[in-house]
Amino acid sequence: MTSRIGLILLMPVLLLMASCKKDDCEAPPVGENIVGTWKVDSQSGTVVFQEDGTLLDPNDLLISGEVNGMVLDEKTWMLIPGDYLLLTASNQSSSLESEFYIARNDCNRISLEVFFLTVDLRRK
């Protein structure tokens, strides 16, 4: 009889423990986390932050520019102290930079702010 009562009392504890998953992820530092392919907000394209500092942004979702009819198509990224991300678009003679504040660094989401706009990156 006492073993039945003990089993009845143990069942809710076991069910509770089984339903609690550890799906919380502690994000690595943003310099490691950002490397990879990301979907930008609700846009259809993606961007790729490569480990060597190259940014693949073929649809100009994060940065683009043109100077004297020449497209700035060489794109790079780097972190700046104080939680900032610097994106550069350049060609052989000109360059354009854009600085984003890193407002959020989660495992599968990074939020960037520039002026009053927020850009959400979601891991692809």
Side-chain angles (χ1 to χ4, degrees):
M1 177 78 170
T2 57
S3 63
R4 283 188 185 173
I5 293 174
L7 186 59
I8 291 172
L9 293 175
L10 186 59
M11 288 298 286
V13 173
L14 292 175
L15 289 173
L16 181 63
M17 288 175 57
S19 68
C20 293
K21 294 188 281 185
K22 176 101 176 142
D23 50 343
D24 292 332
C25 170
E26 187 169 328
V30 71
E32 296 172 25
N33 192 30
I34 200 166
V35 173
T37 304
W38 297 86
K39 183 171 171 41
V40 180
D41 284 330
S42 60
Q43 304 294 325
S44 60
T46 60
V47 295
V48 179
F49 290 86
Q50 296 184 323
E51 195 170 353
D52 67 358
T54 304
L55 173 65
L56 303 179
D57 183 8
N59 297 318
D60 300 331
L61 299 174
L62 293 179
I63 190 168
S64 66
E66 185 177 316
V67 176
N68 296 327
M70 294 185 65
V71 176
L72 306 174
D73 56 357
E74 297 171 20
K75 300 176 182 179
T76 59
W77 68 274
M78 68 180 292
L79 296 178
I80 299 174
D83 295 328
Y84 288 92
L85 174 68
L86 179 68
L87 303 182
T88 304
S90 62
N91 60 26
Q92 293 177 348
S93 60
S94 302
S95 67
L96 168 73
E97 294 181 338
S98 186
E99 190 174 293
F100 294 86
Y101 174 70
I102 302 166
R104 181 177 183 162
N105 177 36
D106 293 336
C107 290
N108 296 310
R109 178 180 173 194
I110 295 177
S111 294
L112 307 173
E113 293 178 355
V114 59
F115 299 112
F116 298 105
L117 301 174
T118 299
V119 177
D120 282 323
L121 304 177
R122 297 198 184 268
R123 191 171 302 280
K124 183 91 168 147

